């Protein structure tokens, strides 16, 4: 589990995936939290993620997390990694916050803790993320987390995506600056 001030990120185990496949009520009972109908905009990803973890259980920890709002005891989204770091130390993050909890800093909180988690592993040298090719809320979140534009890449359906990245060196410099100035 990864903790922030307001969130718990629970690694989505096979048990949690299987409960979710039986519906939100089953997941709510298993987790002991409220699971609203609109907690994810991408329910189709659950089956894909479940299948991926079932075929490679070693992904746990470097994969899919359920974001629980501590005070509300409610599932409010997902976050995590698209897989283990590559041999050259690159890992990709992703996150989603339900509509009712957007524009309150939760996506930034989630992205920051995922980046910190990644760099707490000495073999991770770079964290990346991809967004749509437009200046939107996701881009603002990544910029707040210190990520920099890494260029356009071909995405799916021939649309381009923007790549965002932060190296270990950039991350450590940011952390040192925050410690020096007393910023969070």
């Amino acid at each position: 589990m990864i903790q922030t001030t307001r969130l718990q990120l629970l690694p989505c185990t096979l048990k949690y995936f299987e409960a979710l496949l039986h519906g939100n009520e089953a997941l709510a009972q298993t987790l002991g939290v409220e699971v609203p109908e609109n907690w994810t905009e991408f329910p189709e990803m659950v089956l894909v993620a479940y299948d991926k973890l079932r075929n490679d259980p070693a992904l746990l920890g470097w994969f899919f997390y359920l974001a629980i709002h501590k005070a509300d005891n409610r599932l409010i989204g997902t976050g995590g990694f698209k897989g283990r770091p590559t041999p050259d130390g690159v890992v990709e993050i992703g996150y989603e916050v339900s509509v009712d909890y957007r524009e309150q800093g939760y996506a930034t909180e989630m992205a920051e803790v995922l980046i910190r988690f990644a760099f707490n592993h000495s073999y991770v040298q770079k964290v990346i993320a991809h967004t749509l090719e437009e200046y939107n809320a996701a881009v603002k979140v990544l910029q707040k987390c210190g990520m920099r534009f890494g260029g356009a890449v071909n995405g799916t359906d021939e649309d381009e995506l923007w790549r965002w990245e932060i190296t270990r060196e950039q991350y450590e410099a940011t952390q040192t600056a925050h410690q020096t100035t007393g910023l969070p």
Side-chain angles (χ1 to χ4, degrees), residues 115-163:
I115 292 168
R116 182 172 59 240
F117 176 89
F119 285 128
N120 279 338
H121 296 82
S122 61
Y123 48 89
V124 173
Q125 298 304 310
K126 183 186 291 185
V127 177
I128 65 169
H130 291 92
T131 65
L132 297 176
E133 187 185 27
E134 61 186 45
Y135 191 74
N136 58 23
V139 168
K140 291 176 191 175
V141 165
L142 297 174
Q143 288 176 327
K144 285 180 196 173
C145 294
M147 295 186 93
R148 299 176 182 175
F149 181 69
V153 296
N154 286 330
T156 58
D157 300 328
E158 305 203 16
D159 288 334
E160 289 212 346
L161 298 174
W162 282 345
R163 176 184 166 118

Side-chain angles (χ1 to χ4, degrees), residues 53-167:
L53 184 62
R54 201 179 69 209
N55 289 318
D56 186 2
L59 281 174
L60 192 64
W62 286 108
F63 196 44
F64 199 85
Y65 284 81
L66 300 170
I68 310 294
H69 188 280
K70 290 178 183 179
D72 294 351
N73 198 37
R74 173 184 264 206
L75 180 62
I76 66 164
T78 64
F81 304 94
K82 300 234 174 147
R84 289 183 297 278
T86 65
D88 55 342
V90 178
V91 68
E92 183 172 353
I93 63 167
Y95 53 87
E96 166 194 24
V97 175
S98 66
V99 174
D100 296 343
Y101 286 84
R102 290 185 185 161
E103 297 186 25
Q104 298 175 53
Y106 295 109
T108 302
E109 196 171 322
M110 209 180 319
E112 285 174 342
V113 76
L114 290 170
I115 292 168
R116 182 172 59 240
F117 176 89
F119 285 128
N120 279 338
H121 296 82
S122 61
Y123 48 89
V124 173
Q125 298 304 310
K126 183 186 291 185
V127 177
I128 65 169
H130 291 92
T131 65
L132 297 176
E133 187 185 27
E134 61 186 45
Y135 191 74
N136 58 23
V139 168
K140 291 176 191 175
V141 165
L142 297 174
Q143 288 176 327
K144 285 180 196 173
C145 294
M147 295 186 93
R148 299 176 182 175
F149 181 69
V153 296
N154 286 330
T156 58
D157 300 328
E158 305 203 16
D159 288 334
E160 289 212 346
L161 298 174
W162 282 345
R163 176 184 166 118
W164 298 89
E165 56 189 42
I166 185 168
T167 64

Side-chain angles (χ1 to χ4, degrees), residues 33-44:
V33 303
E34 183 181 345
V35 179
E37 281 300 313
N38 64 344
W39 72 273
T40 181
E41 286 186 54
F42 308 102
E44 67 280 0

